[in-house]
Structure formats: C-alpha cells, structure tokens
Amino acid sequence: MSKITKDRLNPVKSILVSQPRPSDEKSPYFQLAEKYHLKIDFRPFIQVEPVSVKDFRKQKIDILKHTAIIFTSRNAIDHFFTICKELKIEMPADMKYFCISEQTAHYLQKYIVIRKRKLFVGQRTASDLFDYFKKHKSEKYLFPCSDIRKEDIPEYLNKMGIAFTEAIIYHTVAADLSDLRDIKYDVLAFFSPSGIKSLKHNFPDFEQNNTRIAAFGPTTAKEVLDQGLILDIEAPMPNAPSMTGALELYIKKANNL
C-alpha cells in the first residue's frame, strides 16, 4: 500500500516518532540516528485519561466474579489496579492473568507477586494468547481496556463462545500538539489509527506535501489512506519487521546510501 516513488524519495534528515522517548539508551532509534546522522524526536500523539470510579460503577461490573484477567498494556494494568484500590478490592490468590507480552507480564509485578499467581504470557500479539484461551475456555475473563481498542481479542472470545466482560478503564484522546505547528519533519512515524486522528485533530489543515508518513500495522496504514494521506513507509514487512528497520530501508534509498 505504501508508495515509494522517485518524487517521494527526498533525503531524510529529521524524524518525529509519535511515541514516548525510549528509556533504553540502546534503542534502535538512537542507533539509527547515530548511523545516519539524523535528528529523531519523540512525542506521543495520544494520551490516556482514566475512567473515574463513578463512571466505572455505571458499567455494573463485578470484578471478583471473574476468574481471569487479560492485560494488553501497561496502561491497562495501571488503571485497573488504581480502580481496584479505590474500590478496596484485593485480587484473590487463584486469579489467573493473561498478558500479551513478557514486558507486560513483568510490569504486572508492580502490583502483584507473580510467583504466587497463575500467569500466561504471549510473545507480542493478541493471537499469541488464543491457544491459552482455548485451553482455558471455562474461565470467566475480564478484559480491562480503552474505549479505543483492537477487535482481535473480543472477536476471538466471541467466536469460541468464551465468557468475558469488557471493562472500559481509560479513554484514549488526542494530545495537545499545538507547539508543533511551525515545526517540520521529513518523516512522521505512527503506530495506531489514533495517532493519525490526533494529527488531523490538532492540524485540520495539515498538508502533507513532502512530509513522508510511516505506519506500523495494517490498521494504522489504512487510517493514513482513509485520511487522504500518502503512505510512504510501511511496517512490518517481510524484509523489515520493525519500524526502525522499515525507516532504515527507506533512508538508504532516499539518501542514496
């Protein structure tokens, strides 16, 4: 779907990544910046706002009537346990936890003692958890999530006839990017449809011109096109499984390296 045409292959000197700055100084982004003498800045285009206990109660969800909890992000973990604390709910020792990745599972230790719990961990994507769901069909799952979330987990659980409750515990909203109005970057890198929508929300008159857009994932790529923008760089691809890999391939062409 991306369009790498000669008229779009202008040199790249600056990139804005629509995510927080990595805490790991060995991040591939820093290596990319050093290797190709690039300016790479980081700025989240979306932010999360917690659901109040009052609004959570309106969902009429009894957390302790569930036997398993699905976590797909750190945000979900933070906001879920914040609500539990405010409601004075303690997780029972036999509660099962299904985490989308090792990083998410590791973060869970901030709130519970992992060795005393039953934990099931995927590699990186929601589909990694499907086999676990299939083997534990009798559980009553709670899925804490944002009001904007991917369909894969609910669709699979519905298809398999597995009991689950979706709990909206935070909202995903556009961040205020007004200070970026007069700052130009050669490439903007996006990781979710919400990021693209935030761009258009902040800058309704945004004209892409020579700004290249990179998108990670098919839903992000589709949103770029749906917004009438040109998709220049797409990831993951067979030859570039990561965003940094896709950026590097493009930079090599655009900068004649």
Side-chain angles (χ1 to χ4, degrees):
M1 289 197 295
S2 57
K3 298 179 180 180
I4 301 183
T5 56
K6 284 187 177 180
D7 63 309
R8 304 288 298 167
L9 279 172
N10 296 302
V12 174
K13 295 180 181 178
S14 61
I15 300 172
L16 180 62
V17 178
S18 60
Q19 286 187 330
R21 179 183 174 87
S23 56
D24 183 2
E25 290 303 318
K26 294 181 180 178
S27 165
Y29 286 106
F30 300 139
Q31 295 172 7
L32 193 69
E34 185 176 356
K35 185 175 181 180
Y36 296 103
H37 308 291
L38 306 170
K39 176 191 178 186
I40 300 184
D41 292 334
F42 301 88
R43 178 70 177 272
F45 273 44
I46 56 175
Q47 62 188 38
V48 298
E49 294 180 351
V51 166
S52 67
V53 168
K54 180 182 176 182
D55 286 339
F56 179 77
R57 282 197 174 109
K58 290 178 183 176
Q59 298 179 58
K60 297 181 179 178
I61 294 170
D62 187 340
I63 291 173
L64 295 180
K65 280 193 174 179
H66 298 81
T67 60
I69 303 174
I70 303 165
F71 286 122
T72 57
S73 71
R74 293 183 177 189
N75 277 326
I77 291 172
D78 282 337
H79 294 297
F80 174 74
F81 282 101
T82 296
I83 283 175
C84 286
K85 184 178 180 182
E86 292 187 31
L87 293 174
K88 295 181 170 58
I89 292 174
E90 287 191 19
M91 292 296 102
D94 58 352
M95 182 69 78
K96 294 185 175 75
Y97 299 90
F98 293 75
C99 295
I100 198 168
S101 67
E102 287 285 354
Q103 290 91 340
T104 308
H106 182 73
Y107 191 72
L108 188 56
Q109 294 181 78
K110 181 178 176 181
Y111 296 97
I112 63 169
V113 180
I114 293 289
R115 58 187 165 79
K116 292 182 180 177
R117 315 289 170 155
K118 297 185 178 180
L119 186 66
F120 305 89
V121 185
Q123 295 297 313
R124 193 168 61 89
T125 64
S127 58
D128 298 330
L129 293 175
F130 291 173
D131 282 343
Y132 289 129
F133 295 153
K134 196 173 181 180
K135 290 174 184 175
H136 299 271
K137 289 183 69 173
S138 61
E139 302 294 341
K140 293 180 180 177
Y141 291 91
L142 182 65
F143 181 28
C145 58
S146 166
D147 56 329
I148 300 174
R149 53 106 180 104
K150 293 181 180 178
E151 300 288 342
D152 39 16
I153 288 177
E155 282 182 354
Y156 181 81
L157 294 174
N158 278 321
K159 184 177 76 173
M160 299 300 292
I162 297 173
F164 79 100
T165 304
E166 191 173 311
I168 305 301
I169 56 168
Y170 63 97
H171 297 295
T172 303
V173 299
D176 180 3
L177 307 174
S178 55
D179 58 307
L180 294 178
R181 181 171 301 278
D182 299 319
I183 302 174
K184 306 297 182 186
Y185 289 89
D186 296 324
V187 177
L188 302 177
F190 293 96
F191 300 82
S192 71
S194 300
I196 303 292
K197 289 174 181 174
S198 176
L199 173 71
K200 298 295 280 189
H201 172 80
N202 277 275
F203 310 112
D205 302 324
F206 174 76
E207 293 183 8
Q208 186 172 356
N209 298 322
N210 192 41
T211 301
R212 271 61 52 84
I213 290 182
F216 189 91
T219 56
T220 311
K222 182 177 182 298
E223 186 64 31
V224 172
L225 301 177
D226 287 350
Q227 292 286 354
L229 300 169
I230 298 170
L231 177 60
D232 299 282
I233 305 161
E234 192 174 358
M237 299 294 278
N239 59 343
S242 66
M243 175 60 86
T244 49
L247 288 170
E248 182 166 20
L249 287 178
Y250 181 88
I251 289 164
K252 284 180 177 178
K253 291 181 181 178
N255 294 14
N256 292 314
L257 300 172

